[in-house]
């Protein structure tokens, strides 16, 4: 039967259905990071000769034979980056886990360890700094009463699962509300071409969404989301979650997006903000749904409230546009029937 709104709010994460699948997958590969790397080398038809180095692996030969998705791409890119042969002789791999770096004393009873920054982290650091140096970032916030969205999900989730074969979650509703709001404020989906000093207006919406995986949260892209129904969005989210859980995401799943949705609510955040990831000009952050005091029709009630944040490039998007966009998303989530009537 239908559960109450209070029951729906017990889990503060907006994405409990994909998280459950990912957690199950993560338990099957719950190994230390270096051991997991060796595990992948041994169990994924990836044959390499590996020698230990402090807190990491030193690969002499790398083969992508038998790998699919991101693993094959990462193997090829790693070989190119390290200047090593892309394919190795057909020999059994032998991997040894390196020792952690020795602690260095910096005072009585005080030690430090220096750990190399991973290649992926270096790329993230570089992209974030490039965005910070280029965009004039500004944030605006809105409070969203999620009562009606939670009631809608509670009322129809069983029928939705029976008819369409996928769970009905809040992420699809948020993505749909975002697409409709972008249609009303298209500048949020545009981008400045700094090379030509032009504004590129895009008639398509590719939204990046957070998908949990054994590697952690990964931003995957919903392409042409503007033409998807809630059912289509749920099917695509389920497919991405399944591929992420099996570590079979492809590069196209991580392709550039025109708008981003980031979720810090999964960690219990109340007012988290994201950072723009080029070629985006705006990124919307969702936070935990918590029961908070609100005034409804002159009466004080405890309502499920979520704070949303829009981080945007102020060079392109004015404050009025940003607030109008975020208010539109708020109105559609507070009254989902607006999405049916294009209001």
């Amino acid at each position: 039967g239908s559960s109450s709104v209070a029951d729906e709010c017990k889990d503060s994460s907006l994405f409990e259905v994909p998280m459950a699948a990912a957690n199950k997958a993560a338990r099957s590969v719950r190994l230390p990071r270096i051991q997991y790397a060796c595990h992948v080398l041994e169990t994924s038809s990836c044959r390499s000769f590996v020698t230990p180095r402090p807190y990491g692996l030193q690969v002499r030969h790398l083969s992508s034979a038998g790998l699919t998705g991101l693993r094959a791409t990462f193997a090829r890119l790693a070989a190119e980056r390290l200047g090593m042969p892309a394919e190795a002789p057909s020999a059994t791999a032998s991997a040894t886990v390196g020792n952690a770096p020795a602690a260095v004393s910096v005072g009585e009873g005080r030690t430090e360890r220096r750990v190399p920054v991973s290649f992926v982290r270096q790329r993230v650091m570089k992209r974030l700094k490039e965005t910070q140096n280029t965009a004039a970032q500004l944030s605006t916030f809105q409070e969203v009463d999620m009562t009606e969205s939670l009631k809608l999900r509670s009322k129809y989730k069983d029928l939705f699962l029976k008819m369409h074969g996928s769970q009905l979650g809040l992420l699809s509703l948020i993505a749909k509300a975002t697409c409709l709001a972008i249609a009303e404020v298209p500048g949020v989906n545009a981008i400045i071409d700094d090379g030509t000093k032009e504004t590129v207006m895009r008639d398509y919406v590719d939204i990046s969404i957070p998908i949990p995986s054994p590697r952690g949260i990964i931003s995957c892209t919903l392409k042409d989301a503007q033409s998807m129904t809630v059912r289509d969005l749920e099917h695509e989210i389920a497919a991405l979650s399944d591929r992420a859980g099996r570590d079979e995401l492809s590069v196209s799943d991580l392709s550039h997006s025109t708008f981003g949705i980031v979720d810090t609510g999964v960690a219990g955040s109340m007012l988290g903000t994201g950072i723009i990831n080029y070629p985006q000009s705006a990124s919307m952050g969702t936070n935990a749904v918590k029961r908070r005091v609100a005034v409804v029709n002159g009466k004080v009630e405890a309502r499920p409230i979520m704070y949303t944040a829009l981080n945007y490039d102020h060079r392109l998007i004015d404050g009025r546009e940003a607030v109008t966009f975020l208010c539109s998303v708020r109105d559609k989530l507070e009254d989902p029937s607006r999405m049916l009537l294009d209001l």
Side-chain angles (χ1 to χ4, degrees), residues 60-197:
R60 292 180 176 175
H61 301 284
L62 185 59
S63 171
S64 60
L67 296 183
T68 59
L70 289 181
R71 289 180 178 176
T73 301
F74 286 162
R76 176 178 55 81
L77 294 178
E80 294 175 356
R81 185 175 73 253
L82 298 175
M84 298 175 183
E87 297 293 333
S90 56
T92 302
S94 60
T96 305
V97 178
N99 296 324
V104 178
S105 176
V106 293
E108 186 176 354
R110 295 157 61 91
T111 60
E112 293 180 350
R113 297 177 186 271
R114 290 181 176 266
V115 180
V117 179
S118 69
F119 173 73
V120 173
R121 177 55 56 182
Q122 291 180 44
R123 294 290 296 174
V124 170
M125 291 162 51
K126 181 179 178 181
R127 290 295 298 274
L128 292 180
K129 196 60 183 176
E130 287 175 350
T131 300
Q132 186 183 47
N133 293 339
T134 302
Q137 298 191 64
L138 198 62
S139 298
T140 185
F141 301 86
Q142 277 296 326
E143 180 181 273
V144 183
D145 186 341
M146 298 295 291
T147 300
E148 295 302 320
S149 290
L150 289 172
K151 284 183 177 178
L152 176 70
R153 179 179 180 272
S154 177
K155 182 177 180 180
Y156 291 109
K157 63 179 182 180
D158 293 334
L159 182 59
F160 190 90
L161 177 61
K162 180 180 178 180
M163 295 291 294
H164 303 306
S166 59
Q167 300 283 353
L168 177 60
L170 292 178
L171 180 54
S172 59
L173 297 178
I174 293 173
K176 185 63 179 178
T178 298
C179 291
L180 294 175
I182 286 176
E184 299 169 6
V185 189
V188 174
N189 194 52
I191 188 69
I192 292 178
D193 188 333
D194 292 298
T196 61
K197 305 301 180 184

Side-chain angles (χ1 to χ4, degrees), residues 139-141 262 264 269 271-275 283-285 287 308-311:
S139 298
T140 185
F141 301 86
V262 295
T264 53
S269 173
L271 282 174
T273 60
I275 190 168
S283 177
M284 186 176 71
N287 294 277
T308 58
L310 184 71
N311 202 41

Side-chain angles (χ1 to χ4, degrees), residues 171-182 189 204-211 219-228 233 236-237 240 252-262 280 282-284 325:
L171 180 54
S172 59
L173 297 178
I174 293 173
K176 185 63 179 178
T178 298
C179 291
L180 294 175
I182 286 176
N189 194 52
Y204 57 92
V205 180
D206 294 344
I207 298 182
S208 66
I209 58 171
I211 296 293
S219 291
C220 299
T221 302
L222 296 171
K223 294 184 178 179
D224 294 320
Q226 80 284 351
S227 61
M228 292 186 182
L233 289 168
E236 186 61 25
I237 292 170
L240 288 170
S252 63
D253 293 328
L254 311 180
S255 60
H256 291 313
S257 57
T258 63
F259 185 86
I261 295 177
V262 295
Q280 300 171 2
S283 177
M284 186 176 71
F325 168 83

Side-chain angles (χ1 to χ4, degrees), residues 295-315:
V295 179
V296 182
N297 297 325
K299 297 180 181 179
V300 177
E301 299 181 8
R303 308 280 281 193
I305 302 296
M306 177 184 70
Y307 294 115
T308 58
L310 184 71
N311 202 41
Y312 59 98
D313 188 350
H314 201 22
R315 300 179 304 160

